[in-house]
Amino acid sequence: MSTTVELTKENFDQTVTDNEFVLIDFWADWCGPCKQFAPVYEKAAEANPDLVFGKVDTEAQPELAAAFGIQSIPTLMIVRDQVAVFAQPGALPEAALTDVIGQARKLDMDQVRQQIAEQQAQQGENPGA
């Protein structure tokens, strides 16, 4: 049985809202690197049962891919407390994926939200900067 959740426009918001830590693999069936990354992603899902591992088929869910500006696949995104804290195209090797998950687990989300608020405030002061 797969430990990943298929994310669609119908369940995406609910999944991200209801879970503190969600990893999202944007992929397509025709994509060779996506198929190579799939078993690495599944293995990470099995090793981290406390996290939600979702997959977005960009062919079946073009609205989701467009909403996140996905330009190339596979793209891995990590969302913590409804904040995207990581997004990177390319298939990650197992060790790199483990490292990224570890780093995302260690993030102080209060600090992340503060940094985002500061950046938004600066952009408000300098429109077009």
Side-chain angles (χ1 to χ4, degrees), residues 72-129:
S72 61
I73 52 175
T75 290
L76 176 68
M77 183 175 290
I78 299 177
V79 179
R80 277 200 55 198
D81 300 340
Q82 289 125 56
V83 176
V85 296
F86 178 86
Q88 178 179 311
L92 293 174
E94 187 176 341
L97 179 56
T98 301
D99 184 50
V100 165
I101 293 169
Q103 288 181 45
R105 282 185 185 274
K106 291 178 194 161
L107 286 174
D108 178 337
M109 290 309 295
D110 290 333
Q111 191 175 19
V112 169
R113 280 188 284 277
Q114 183 180 349
Q115 288 172 343
I116 291 169
E118 288 170 4
Q119 287 172 353
Q120 289 173 340
Q122 287 173 351
Q123 288 171 353
E125 293 167 13
N126 303 321

Short mmCIF file of all heavy atoms in Angstrom, two decimals, residues 72-129:
data_model
loop_
_atom_site.label_atom_id
_atom_site.label_comp_id
_atom_site.label_asym_id
_atom_site.label_seq_id
_atom_site.Cartn_x
_atom_site.Cartn_y
_atom_site.Cartn_z
N SER A 72 9.05 23.00 -13.88
CA SER A 72 9.67 21.74 -14.26
C SER A 72 9.36 20.70 -13.20
O SER A 72 9.10 21.03 -12.04
CB SER A 72 11.18 21.91 -14.44
OG SER A 72 11.78 22.33 -13.23
N ILE A 73 9.37 19.45 -13.64
CA ILE A 73 9.06 18.36 -12.71
C ILE A 73 10.16 17.31 -12.80
O ILE A 73 10.84 17.23 -13.83
CB ILE A 73 7.68 17.74 -13.02
CG1 ILE A 73 7.57 17.34 -14.49
CG2 ILE A 73 6.56 18.67 -12.62
CD1 ILE A 73 6.30 16.62 -14.85
N PRO A 74 10.39 16.56 -11.74
CA PRO A 74 9.67 16.68 -10.48
C PRO A 74 10.06 17.94 -9.72
O PRO A 74 11.17 18.43 -9.86
CB PRO A 74 10.12 15.44 -9.70
CG PRO A 74 11.49 15.14 -10.24
CD PRO A 74 11.45 15.55 -11.68
N THR A 75 9.12 18.47 -8.95
CA THR A 75 9.39 19.55 -8.01
C THR A 75 8.92 19.10 -6.65
O THR A 75 7.80 18.61 -6.52
CB THR A 75 8.68 20.86 -8.42
OG1 THR A 75 9.30 21.39 -9.59
CG2 THR A 75 8.77 21.90 -7.30
N LEU A 76 9.78 19.26 -5.66
CA LEU A 76 9.42 18.92 -4.29
C LEU A 76 9.13 20.21 -3.55
O LEU A 76 9.90 21.18 -3.64
CB LEU A 76 10.58 18.19 -3.59
CG LEU A 76 10.34 17.87 -2.11
CD1 LEU A 76 9.24 16.84 -1.94
CD2 LEU A 76 11.62 17.39 -1.46
N MET A 77 8.01 20.22 -2.82
CA MET A 77 7.65 21.37 -2.01
C MET A 77 7.36 20.86 -0.59
O MET A 77 6.79 19.79 -0.43
CB MET A 77 6.42 22.06 -2.59
CG MET A 77 6.01 23.32 -1.85
SD MET A 77 4.62 24.14 -2.69
CE MET A 77 5.43 24.75 -4.16
N ILE A 78 7.78 21.63 0.40
CA ILE A 78 7.45 21.31 1.79
C ILE A 78 6.65 22.46 2.36
O ILE A 78 7.06 23.62 2.26
CB ILE A 78 8.71 21.06 2.63
CG1 ILE A 78 9.50 19.86 2.07
CG2 ILE A 78 8.33 20.80 4.10
CD1 ILE A 78 10.80 19.58 2.80
N VAL A 79 5.51 22.13 2.95
CA VAL A 79 4.63 23.13 3.56
C VAL A 79 4.53 22.81 5.04
O VAL A 79 4.14 21.70 5.41
CB VAL A 79 3.23 23.13 2.91
CG1 VAL A 79 2.32 24.15 3.57
CG2 VAL A 79 3.33 23.38 1.42
N ARG A 80 4.91 23.79 5.89
CA ARG A 80 4.76 23.65 7.34
C ARG A 80 3.85 24.75 7.84
O ARG A 80 4.06 25.92 7.52
CB ARG A 80 6.11 23.75 8.05
CG ARG A 80 6.84 22.42 8.05
CD ARG A 80 7.89 22.29 9.11
NE ARG A 80 7.42 22.55 10.44
CZ ARG A 80 8.22 22.85 11.47
NH1 ARG A 80 9.53 22.89 11.31
NH2 ARG A 80 7.73 23.07 12.66
N ASP A 81 2.86 24.38 8.61
CA ASP A 81 1.90 25.35 9.16
C ASP A 81 1.39 26.27 8.06
O ASP A 81 1.33 27.50 8.22
CB ASP A 81 2.55 26.19 10.27
CG ASP A 81 3.03 25.32 11.43
OD1 ASP A 81 2.57 24.18 11.57
OD2 ASP A 81 3.88 25.80 12.20
N GLN A 82 1.05 25.70 6.91
CA GLN A 82 0.51 26.40 5.75
C GLN A 82 1.47 27.41 5.14
O GLN A 82 1.06 28.34 4.44
CB GLN A 82 -0.82 27.08 6.10
CG GLN A 82 -1.94 26.07 6.30
CD GLN A 82 -2.60 26.25 7.65
OE1 GLN A 82 -3.07 27.31 7.95
NE2 GLN A 82 -2.63 25.20 8.44
N VAL A 83 2.77 27.25 5.39
CA VAL A 83 3.79 28.12 4.80
C VAL A 83 4.73 27.23 3.97
O VAL A 83 5.28 26.25 4.49
CB VAL A 83 4.61 28.85 5.89
CG1 VAL A 83 5.73 29.67 5.26
CG2 VAL A 83 3.72 29.73 6.75
N ALA A 84 4.91 27.57 2.69
CA ALA A 84 5.86 26.82 1.87
C ALA A 84 7.27 27.19 2.32
O ALA A 84 7.68 28.34 2.20
CB ALA A 84 5.66 27.15 0.39
N VAL A 85 7.98 26.22 2.89
CA VAL A 85 9.32 26.50 3.42
C VAL A 85 10.41 25.96 2.51
O VAL A 85 11.59 26.24 2.72
CB VAL A 85 9.49 25.92 4.86
CG1 VAL A 85 8.54 26.62 5.83
CG2 VAL A 85 9.29 24.41 4.89
N PHE A 86 10.03 25.18 1.50
CA PHE A 86 11.02 24.61 0.58
C PHE A 86 10.32 24.31 -0.73
O PHE A 86 9.21 23.79 -0.75
CB PHE A 86 11.60 23.32 1.17
CG PHE A 86 12.60 22.63 0.27
CD1 PHE A 86 13.94 23.00 0.31
CD2 PHE A 86 12.22 21.62 -0.59
CE1 PHE A 86 14.88 22.38 -0.52
CE2 PHE A 86 13.15 20.99 -1.41
CZ PHE A 86 14.47 21.37 -1.37
N ALA A 87 10.97 24.64 -1.83
CA ALA A 87 10.48 24.26 -3.15
C ALA A 87 11.68 24.18 -4.07
O ALA A 87 12.44 25.14 -4.19
CB ALA A 87 9.47 25.27 -3.67
N GLN A 88 11.87 23.01 -4.68
CA GLN A 88 13.03 22.84 -5.56
C GLN A 88 12.71 21.83 -6.64
O GLN A 88 12.26 20.74 -6.35
CB GLN A 88 14.22 22.35 -4.73
CG GLN A 88 15.47 22.11 -5.56
CD GLN A 88 16.63 21.65 -4.68
OE1 GLN A 88 16.92 22.25 -3.67
NE2 GLN A 88 17.27 20.57 -5.09
N PRO A 89 12.95 22.21 -7.91
CA PRO A 89 12.79 21.24 -8.97
C PRO A 89 13.96 20.27 -9.00
O PRO A 89 15.05 20.59 -8.53
CB PRO A 89 12.75 22.09 -10.24
CG PRO A 89 13.42 23.37 -9.88
CD PRO A 89 13.29 23.54 -8.39
N GLY A 90 13.70 19.09 -9.54
CA GLY A 90 14.75 18.08 -9.69
C GLY A 90 14.55 16.93 -8.73
O GLY A 90 14.03 17.10 -7.63
N ALA A 91 14.93 15.75 -9.18
CA ALA A 91 14.82 14.55 -8.36
C ALA A 91 15.98 14.55 -7.35
O ALA A 91 17.13 14.64 -7.73
CB ALA A 91 14.88 13.31 -9.23
N LEU A 92 15.65 14.48 -6.08
CA LEU A 92 16.68 14.46 -5.04
C LEU A 92 17.12 13.04 -4.76
O LEU A 92 16.28 12.14 -4.70
CB LEU A 92 16.12 15.05 -3.73
CG LEU A 92 15.79 16.54 -3.73
CD1 LEU A 92 15.12 16.91 -2.41
CD2 LEU A 92 17.04 17.37 -3.92
N PRO A 93 18.42 12.83 -4.55
CA PRO A 93 18.86 11.53 -4.08
C PRO A 93 18.36 11.30 -2.65
O PRO A 93 18.02 12.26 -1.94
CB PRO A 93 20.38 11.59 -4.12
CG PRO A 93 20.75 12.95 -4.56
CD PRO A 93 19.50 13.75 -4.78
N GLU A 94 18.31 10.05 -2.23
CA GLU A 94 17.75 9.71 -0.92
C GLU A 94 18.39 10.50 0.22
O GLU A 94 17.69 11.04 1.09
CB GLU A 94 17.94 8.20 -0.68
CG GLU A 94 17.26 7.69 0.55
CD GLU A 94 17.38 6.19 0.71
OE1 GLU A 94 17.67 5.48 -0.28
OE2 GLU A 94 17.19 5.72 1.83
N ALA A 95 19.72 10.61 0.24
CA ALA A 95 20.40 11.33 1.33
C ALA A 95 20.00 12.80 1.35
O ALA A 95 19.80 13.38 2.42
CB ALA A 95 21.91 11.19 1.19
N ALA A 96 19.87 13.41 0.18
CA ALA A 96 19.50 14.83 0.11
C ALA A 96 18.06 15.03 0.58
O ALA A 96 17.77 15.99 1.30
CB ALA A 96 19.66 15.34 -1.32
N LEU A 97 17.17 14.11 0.21
CA LEU A 97 15.78 14.22 0.65
C LEU A 97 15.70 14.08 2.18
O LEU A 97 15.01 14.86 2.84
CB LEU A 97 14.92 13.15 -0.03
CG LEU A 97 13.44 13.12 0.36
CD1 LEU A 97 12.77 14.47 0.12
CD2 LEU A 97 12.71 12.02 -0.40
N THR A 98 16.43 13.14 2.73
CA THR A 98 16.47 12.95 4.18
C THR A 98 16.98 14.21 4.87
O THR A 98 16.44 14.65 5.88
CB THR A 98 17.36 11.74 4.54
OG1 THR A 98 16.82 10.58 3.90
CG2 THR A 98 17.43 11.51 6.03
N ASP A 99 18.01 14.82 4.29
CA ASP A 99 18.59 16.04 4.84
C ASP A 99 17.59 17.20 4.80
O ASP A 99 17.43 17.93 5.79
CB ASP A 99 19.86 16.41 4.06
CG ASP A 99 20.57 17.61 4.66
OD1 ASP A 99 20.81 17.63 5.88
OD2 ASP A 99 20.87 18.54 3.89
N VAL A 100 16.90 17.36 3.68
CA VAL A 100 15.92 18.44 3.54
C VAL A 100 14.78 18.26 4.55
O VAL A 100 14.35 19.23 5.19
CB VAL A 100 15.37 18.48 2.09
CG1 VAL A 100 14.11 19.31 1.99
CG2 VAL A 100 16.43 19.00 1.15
N ILE A 101 14.32 17.03 4.72
CA ILE A 101 13.25 16.76 5.71
C ILE A 101 13.74 17.12 7.10
O ILE A 101 13.03 17.77 7.88
CB ILE A 101 12.78 15.29 5.63
CG1 ILE A 101 12.08 15.04 4.29
CG2 ILE A 101 11.87 14.95 6.81
CD1 ILE A 101 11.81 13.57 3.99
N GLY A 102 14.98 16.73 7.43
CA GLY A 102 15.55 17.04 8.73
C GLY A 102 15.64 18.54 8.96
O GLY A 102 15.30 19.04 10.05
N GLN A 103 16.09 19.27 7.94
CA GLN A 103 16.20 20.72 8.07
C GLN A 103 14.82 21.36 8.25
O GLN A 103 14.65 22.27 9.07
CB GLN A 103 16.88 21.31 6.84
CG GLN A 103 18.37 21.01 6.77
CD GLN A 103 19.00 21.64 5.54
OE1 GLN A 103 18.73 22.79 5.23
NE2 GLN A 103 19.83 20.88 4.84
N ALA A 104 13.83 20.88 7.50
CA ALA A 104 12.49 21.43 7.61
C ALA A 104 11.88 21.14 8.98
O ALA A 104 11.15 21.96 9.53
CB ALA A 104 11.60 20.89 6.49
N ARG A 105 12.20 19.98 9.54
CA ARG A 105 11.70 19.63 10.89
C ARG A 105 12.27 20.59 11.94
O ARG A 105 11.59 20.89 12.92
CB ARG A 105 12.12 18.21 11.27
CG ARG A 105 11.32 17.10 10.66
CD ARG A 105 11.80 15.77 11.23
NE ARG A 105 11.19 14.61 10.65
CZ ARG A 105 10.02 14.08 11.07
NH1 ARG A 105 9.35 14.65 12.04
NH2 ARG A 105 9.55 13.00 10.50
N LYS A 106 13.49 21.05 11.74
CA LYS A 106 14.16 21.88 12.74
C LYS A 106 13.77 23.36 12.67
O LYS A 106 14.11 24.13 13.56
CB LYS A 106 15.69 21.78 12.56
CG LYS A 106 16.25 20.43 12.94
CD LYS A 106 17.75 20.39 12.68
CE LYS A 106 18.27 18.97 12.73
NZ LYS A 106 19.56 18.84 12.08
N LEU A 107 13.07 23.75 11.61
CA LEU A 107 12.72 25.16 11.45
C LEU A 107 11.87 25.65 12.62
O LEU A 107 10.96 24.96 13.07
CB LEU A 107 11.92 25.37 10.16
CG LEU A 107 12.70 25.32 8.86
CD1 LEU A 107 11.73 25.41 7.68
CD2 LEU A 107 13.72 26.43 8.79
N ASP A 108 12.18 26.83 13.07
CA ASP A 108 11.36 27.51 14.06
C ASP A 108 10.30 28.29 13.27
O ASP A 108 10.60 29.33 12.67
CB ASP A 108 12.24 28.45 14.90
CG ASP A 108 11.44 29.25 15.92
OD1 ASP A 108 10.22 29.44 15.74
OD2 ASP A 108 12.07 29.70 16.90
N MET A 109 9.08 27.78 13.26
CA MET A 109 8.05 28.38 12.41
C MET A 109 7.66 29.78 12.85
O MET A 109 7.25 30.59 12.04
CB MET A 109 6.83 27.45 12.31
CG MET A 109 7.10 26.19 11.51
SD MET A 109 7.85 26.49 9.86
CE MET A 109 6.52 27.36 9.04
N ASP A 110 7.79 30.09 14.14
CA ASP A 110 7.53 31.46 14.58
C ASP A 110 8.53 32.41 13.94
O ASP A 110 8.18 33.50 13.48
CB ASP A 110 7.60 31.57 16.11
CG ASP A 110 6.43 30.85 16.79
OD1 ASP A 110 5.36 30.74 16.16
OD2 ASP A 110 6.61 30.40 17.93
N GLN A 111 9.79 31.97 13.88
CA GLN A 111 10.84 32.77 13.26
C GLN A 111 10.58 32.90 11.75
O GLN A 111 10.74 33.98 11.17
CB GLN A 111 12.20 32.11 13.53
CG GLN A 111 13.38 32.97 13.17
CD GLN A 111 14.70 32.29 13.57
OE1 GLN A 111 14.76 31.09 13.78
NE2 GLN A 111 15.74 33.07 13.67
N VAL A 112 10.17 31.82 11.11
CA VAL A 112 9.87 31.85 9.67
C VAL A 112 8.75 32.84 9.39
O VAL A 112 8.85 33.66 8.48
CB VAL A 112 9.50 30.43 9.16
CG1 VAL A 112 8.94 30.50 7.75
CG2 VAL A 112 10.72 29.51 9.22
N ARG A 113 7.67 32.78 10.17
CA ARG A 113 6.55 33.71 9.97
C ARG A 113 6.98 35.15 10.19
O ARG A 113 6.56 36.05 9.47
CB ARG A 113 5.38 33.34 10.89
CG ARG A 113 4.54 32.18 10.36
CD ARG A 113 3.29 31.97 11.18
NE ARG A 113 3.56 31.31 12.45
CZ ARG A 113 3.69 30.00 12.59
NH1 ARG A 113 3.57 29.21 11.56
NH2 ARG A 113 3.93 29.47 13.77
N GLN A 114 7.87 35.37 11.17
CA GLN A 114 8.37 36.72 11.44
C GLN A 114 9.18 37.22 10.24
O GLN A 114 9.03 38.36 9.81
CB GLN A 114 9.22 36.71 12.70
CG GLN A 114 9.72 38.09 13.09
CD GLN A 114 10.57 38.07 14.35
OE1 GLN A 114 10.63 37.07 15.06
NE2 GLN A 114 11.22 39.17 14.63
N GLN A 115 10.03 36.35 9.68
CA GLN A 115 10.83 36.74 8.52
C GLN A 115 9.93 37.08 7.33
O GLN A 115 10.18 38.05 6.61
CB GLN A 115 11.80 35.62 8.14
CG GLN A 115 12.94 35.45 9.11
CD GLN A 115 13.77 34.20 8.83
OE1 GLN A 115 13.35 33.30 8.11
NE2 GLN A 115 14.95 34.14 9.42
N ILE A 116 8.88 36.29 7.13
CA ILE A 116 7.95 36.55 6.03
C ILE A 116 7.26 37.89 6.24
O ILE A 116 7.14 38.70 5.31
CB ILE A 116 6.91 35.41 5.90
CG1 ILE A 116 7.61 34.14 5.42
CG2 ILE A 116 5.78 35.79 4.96
CD1 ILE A 116 6.76 32.89 5.49
N ALA A 117 6.82 38.15 7.46
CA ALA A 117 6.16 39.43 7.78
C ALA A 117 7.10 40.60 7.52
O ALA A 117 6.70 41.63 6.97
CB ALA A 117 5.67 39.42 9.22
N GLU A 118 8.36 40.44 7.91
CA GLU A 118 9.35 41.51 7.68
C GLU A 118 9.57 41.74 6.19
O GLU A 118 9.65 42.88 5.73
CB GLU A 118 10.68 41.16 8.37
CG GLU A 118 10.60 41.26 9.89
CD GLU A 118 11.83 40.70 10.59
OE1 GLU A 118 12.79 40.28 9.89
OE2 GLU A 118 11.82 40.65 11.83
N GLN A 119 9.67 40.65 5.42
CA GLN A 119 9.86 40.78 3.98
C GLN A 119 8.66 41.47 3.34
O GLN A 119 8.82 42.33 2.48
CB GLN A 119 10.07 39.40 3.34
CG GLN A 119 11.42 38.80 3.65
CD GLN A 119 11.52 37.35 3.16
OE1 GLN A 119 10.57 36.75 2.71
NE2 GLN A 119 12.71 36.78 3.29
N GLN A 120 7.46 41.08 3.78
CA GLN A 120 6.26 41.70 3.21
C GLN A 120 6.19 43.18 3.57
O GLN A 120 5.79 44.01 2.76
CB GLN A 120 5.01 40.96 3.69
CG GLN A 120 4.88 39.59 3.06
CD GLN A 120 3.75 38.76 3.65
OE1 GLN A 120 3.27 39.02 4.76
NE2 GLN A 120 3.34 37.75 2.90
N ALA A 121 6.61 43.52 4.78
CA ALA A 121 6.62 44.92 5.22
C ALA A 121 7.61 45.72 4.37
O ALA A 121 7.31 46.84 3.93
CB ALA A 121 6.97 45.02 6.69
N GLN A 122 8.79 45.13 4.11
CA GLN A 122 9.78 45.82 3.28
C GLN A 122 9.28 46.02 1.86
O GLN A 122 9.47 47.06 1.26
CB GLN A 122 11.10 45.03 3.27
CG GLN A 122 11.86 45.11 4.56
CD GLN A 122 13.08 44.19 4.58
OE1 GLN A 122 13.26 43.36 3.69
NE2 GLN A 122 13.91 44.31 5.60
N GLN A 123 8.61 45.00 1.34
CA GLN A 123 8.07 45.13 -0.02
C GLN A 123 6.97 46.18 -0.07
O GLN A 123 6.84 46.89 -1.05
CB GLN A 123 7.53 43.77 -0.50
CG GLN A 123 8.62 42.78 -0.79
CD GLN A 123 8.09 41.37 -1.06
OE1 GLN A 123 6.92 41.10 -0.91
NE2 GLN A 123 9.00 40.47 -1.42
N GLY A 124 6.22 46.31 1.04
CA GLY A 124 5.19 47.34 1.11
C GLY A 124 5.80 48.73 1.10
O GLY A 124 5.24 49.67 0.54
N GLU A 125 6.98 48.87 1.73
CA GLU A 125 7.66 50.17 1.77
C GLU A 125 8.32 50.50 0.44
O GLU A 125 8.47 51.64 0.08
CB GLU A 125 8.75 50.17 2.87
CG GLU A 125 8.19 50.07 4.30
CD GLU A 125 9.27 49.75 5.31
OE1 GLU A 125 10.47 49.84 4.97
OE2 GLU A 125 8.91 49.38 6.43
N ASN A 126 8.74 49.46 -0.27
CA ASN A 126 9.46 49.64 -1.54
C ASN A 126 8.73 48.92 -2.66
O ASN A 126 9.22 47.91 -3.16
CB ASN A 126 10.89 49.07 -1.44
CG ASN A 126 11.69 49.70 -0.33
OD1 ASN A 126 11.58 50.88 -0.10
ND2 ASN A 126 12.47 48.89 0.36
N PRO A 127 7.56 49.39 -3.06
CA PRO A 127 6.87 48.69 -4.15
C PRO A 127 7.73 48.66 -5.41
O PRO A 127 8.36 49.66 -5.74
CB PRO A 127 5.59 49.51 -4.38
CG PRO A 127 5.58 50.59 -3.36
CD PRO A 127 6.88 50.57 -2.61
N GLY A 128 7.76 47.52 -6.02
CA GLY A 128 8.56 47.38 -7.23
C GLY A 128 10.01 47.09 -6.96
O GLY A 128 10.80 46.94 -7.88
N ALA A 129 10.44 47.00 -5.70
CA ALA A 129 11.84 46.72 -5.37
C ALA A 129 12.12 45.26 -5.52
O ALA A 129 11.29 44.43 -5.39
CB ALA A 129 12.14 47.15 -3.95
#
